[in-house]
Amino acid sequence: MIDATEIAPLLDLDVAGFRQMMRAGRILTRTERGEGDDEGYLRLTLTSPCGDSA
């Protein structure tokens, strides 16, 4: 689980705004499973409407 208090500032949002946008589907998420040297790791990418990624 990822804490919204760590992610929201990276997207220039407060926690309440981040949670609201997540519920509304306005923040997109993508996960990737590592391969090769990165096997065993996962990457989570969050993208806000303005195109910023964290």
Side-chain angles (χ1 to χ4, degrees):
M1 182 175 292
I2 297 177
D3 190 337
T5 60
E6 295 180 25
I7 300 298
L10 299 174
L11 299 171
D12 293 325
L13 297 168
D14 60 24
V15 173
F18 173 78
R19 289 181 176 152
Q20 180 181 17
M21 289 178 74
M22 284 292 295
R23 283 191 297 269
R26 295 193 59 217
I27 294 178
L28 304 175
T29 60
R30 183 177 74 202
T31 58
E32 300 171 74
R33 188 172 303 276
E35 299 177 359
D37 290 341
D38 295 321
E39 188 171 339
Y41 291 95
L42 292 174
R43 178 190 320 209
L44 173 65
T45 303
L46 299 144
T47 306
S48 68
C50 58
D52 296 334
S53 296

